[in-house]
Amino acid sequence: MKINTSTHALSPNTQRAIFLLSLATFCSMALQRICDPMLPELSRVFDVPISEASQVISLFALTYGLMQLFYGPVGDRFGKYRVVMLACMGCGVGSVLSALSANLEILVTARIATALAAAAIIPLTLAWVGDVVHYEQRQETLARVGIGTTLGMTGGQLFGGLLTDTFGWRWAFALMAFAFAVVSFLLLKQLKHLEPVAQHGHEPAGFFKQLQQVAHNAWARTLLSVALVEGAMIFGLLAVTASHLHHMHHISLTLAGGTTALYGLGGMAYMAVAKFAIRRFGEVGLARWGGAYFGLAFLVIAFCPWWQLALPACFVAGFGFAMFHNTMQAKATQMVPTARATGVTLFAGFLFLGQAIGVLVLAALIGVFDSSHVLGAVAVGVMGLGAFFAYAIAKRNATQADHA
C-alpha cells in the first residue's frame, strides 16, 4: 500500500488511530508529571528530604530513558501501534502497584516498573506518525498529537496536587490506573482496523549498525545533545516548579499544582495556532523564540514576589516550550528514516536521561541554595539553548536534508 503524502488524504481509520494514540500520550505524560506537586507531601508522609522523595520522578525518568534502547528495535519489529497498546496495559498495572505502596522504597520501585512500560508510548507514537505522514505536513500533525501530551502535563500536575490535598496521593495513581484501562481497551478495538504502513524501499540496517551511523553523524550528535540538555533544564524546572511556589509563597499544593498546570494550557494554545506559527516563524524562529519565551517566563516565576504572576508566566512558558519541543520532535522523526522507531526512541532516551539528571541536580541545589536563584540560572540557560538550536537548524535546513 502506498501512503498519500497529504494529511487530508489520511483515512478515517488512520485519523481515529492518531486520536487514540494522542489519548495514550495524554496518559503517559500525566503519569510522568503527576508526582511533581506530590513531592512536599511525600517528603512529609515518608519523613525524608525532598531530594530523596524526588526519586519517584528522577528514577522514573532514568528508567524511561534507558528503555529506549529496547523499544526502538521492538517497535520496528513488532509494530509501533501494537507495542504502544501493550505498554498502556503495563502502565495500568504499574499505577495500581504505586497506589498500594506501603513505603517510599516500594513506591519508587513501582514507579520504575511503570516506567518500563511507559517508555514506549510517546516515542513510538511519534515514530508511527512519521511513518504515515509526509515530512512537509508532519510538524502540523505532531502538533495535533501533542495536544494529548500537553493536556497530560496539565492533568498530571493539576490532579496530582488536587487529589493529594483532598483524598490523598494514592488516589492520583488510582485515577491513572483507570485512565490507562480505558485507553488500552480503545486501542485494542482499533487495532484490527489499522491499515498497513508503507515500507521503505530498502531494508533497515541492524540496530547496532544504526547506532554506529548515529555516532558518526554530526547532525544526529547535535540533536541528541540538545535533547539531553533540554531534558535536564526544561523538564528539571518543570519538576520543581510546584515545590518552589509552595515553599516560596506558602500556597497549597492544589494551588501550586494548578498554577503549574497552566504550562500545559500554554502548550495547548500553541497547538491551536501551530499551523500559522510554523508558516510565520519557520523552524529556526520557533526554536529561537520558543527558548526565549520559556526563559523569560521562568525568570518571572523565579523572582517575582507576587505568586499571581506565576499564572500567566506558566502559560507563556508552556507556549514557548511547545514551540521549541515540537520542532525538536519533527527533526527527531527524520533522524533515522529507515528505522524511525529506533531514531525517535534514541531521541527520547537522551531527553529523559537528561530529565533524570536535571531533577536530581535541581532538587539537590534547591536544598542548598535559594530556589529562586536556581530557577533563574536555568531559565537563562534555556534561552541560550534556544539560540544555539536555532543556529544549528539554520545550517541543517540549508542542505534540505530532512526533506528527502
Side-chain angles (χ1 to χ4, degrees):
M1 176 180 176
K2 187 175 182 178
I3 298 294
N4 194 305
T5 59
S6 170
T7 53
H8 297 293
L10 293 177
S11 71
N13 280 329
T14 300
Q15 293 180 40
R16 191 175 301 112
I18 289 174
F19 171 73
L20 293 178
L21 289 171
S22 184
L23 291 181
T25 65
F26 166 86
C27 292
S28 178
M29 184 55 73
L31 185 65
Q32 292 176 42
R33 301 266 63 96
I34 203 162
C35 287
D36 293 353
M38 283 184 195
L39 292 183
E41 178 65 10
L42 294 178
S43 174
R44 185 191 67 81
V45 169
F46 295 120
D47 193 26
V48 296
I50 280 188
S51 58
E52 186 174 341
S54 69
Q55 290 177 0
V56 298
I57 300 173
S58 61
L59 293 184
F60 181 101
L62 179 62
T63 305
Y64 190 110
L66 292 174
M67 285 300 294
Q68 302 309 319
L69 295 176
F70 171 77
Y71 280 121
V74 167
D76 282 328
R77 174 66 179 84
F78 296 104
K80 304 171 185 67
Y81 183 98
R82 186 186 303 274
V83 176
V84 170
M85 178 192 70
L86 294 173
C88 285
M89 295 177 182
C91 287
V93 174
S95 296
V96 171
L97 295 176
S98 297
L100 298 176
S101 298
N103 53 53
L104 182 62
E105 290 74 19
I106 295 177
L107 177 59
V108 170
T109 302
R111 287 283 288 173
I112 291 173
T114 308
L116 293 174
I121 297 174
I122 294 177
L124 292 188
T125 292
L126 300 179
W128 189 84
V129 170
D131 285 342
V132 301
V133 181
H134 190 264
Y135 185 82
E136 300 300 330
Q137 290 82 37
R138 196 175 299 156
Q139 188 166 173
E140 292 180 21
T141 306
L142 289 173
R144 291 196 290 272
V145 173
I147 291 175
T149 305
T150 52
L151 278 177
M153 291 182 184
T154 300
Q157 291 167 332
L158 178 60
F159 286 104
L162 178 62
L163 291 174
T164 299
D165 264 345
T166 53
F167 298 103
W169 59 269
R170 297 180 189 277
W171 284 97
F173 291 112
L175 177 65
M176 291 309 310
F178 174 76
F180 273 113
V182 172
V183 171
S184 299
F185 173 74
L186 295 175
L187 288 170
L188 179 61
K189 284 190 63 177
Q190 184 64 22
L191 180 62
K192 62 183 178 182
H193 300 294
L194 285 186
E195 300 167 6
V197 176
Q199 301 296 322
H200 292 278
H202 54 280
E203 290 296 319
F207 178 61
F208 291 104
K209 287 186 178 180
Q210 293 167 12
L211 292 181
Q212 188 176 28
Q213 291 170 7
V214 170
H216 288 88
N217 185 298
W219 170 244
R221 293 197 303 269
T222 298
L223 187 61
L224 293 176
S225 297
V226 172
L228 183 72
V229 178
E230 178 197 7
M233 294 199 297
I234 293 181
F235 284 95
L237 280 178
L238 187 60
V240 300
T241 301
S243 296
H244 166 76
L245 294 173
H246 175 68
H247 287 295
M248 181 176 181
H249 300 289
H250 308 292
I251 60 178
S252 68
L253 293 176
T254 298
L255 193 52
T259 300
T260 310
L262 289 171
Y263 185 93
L265 293 184
M268 279 289 295
Y270 170 74
M271 303 308 170
V273 300
K275 186 174 183 178
F276 166 78
I278 291 166
R279 294 173 182 175
R280 171 65 179 83
F281 295 103
E283 292 178 327
V284 174
L286 291 173
R288 178 184 296 116
W289 289 108
Y293 292 159
F294 184 95
L296 289 172
F298 260 90
L299 286 174
V300 172
I301 295 169
F303 295 110
C304 184
W306 302 288
W307 74 265
Q308 292 86 349
L309 286 183
L311 296 166
C314 283
F315 182 89
V316 172
F319 192 95
F321 165 77
M323 293 174 68
F324 181 91
H325 188 68
N326 200 60
T327 305
M328 286 279 292
Q329 287 181 333
K331 289 299 185 185
T333 63
Q334 203 67 10
M335 191 167 63
V336 188
T338 56
R340 210 177 306 272
T342 298
V344 177
T345 51
L346 278 173
F347 165 78
F350 275 74
L351 182 71
F352 283 92
L353 284 174
Q355 179 182 344
I357 295 169
V359 172
L360 286 173
V361 171
L362 290 184
L365 289 175
I366 287 175
V368 177
F369 302 100
D370 184 270
S371 62
S372 295
H373 296 150
V374 175
L375 267 64
V378 178
V380 173
V382 172
M383 296 170 71
L385 181 67
F388 169 79
F389 189 49
Y391 169 77
I393 292 175
K395 290 182 62 178
R396 174 71 173 178
N397 284 354
T399 69
Q400 292 294 302
D402 288 332
H403 299 266

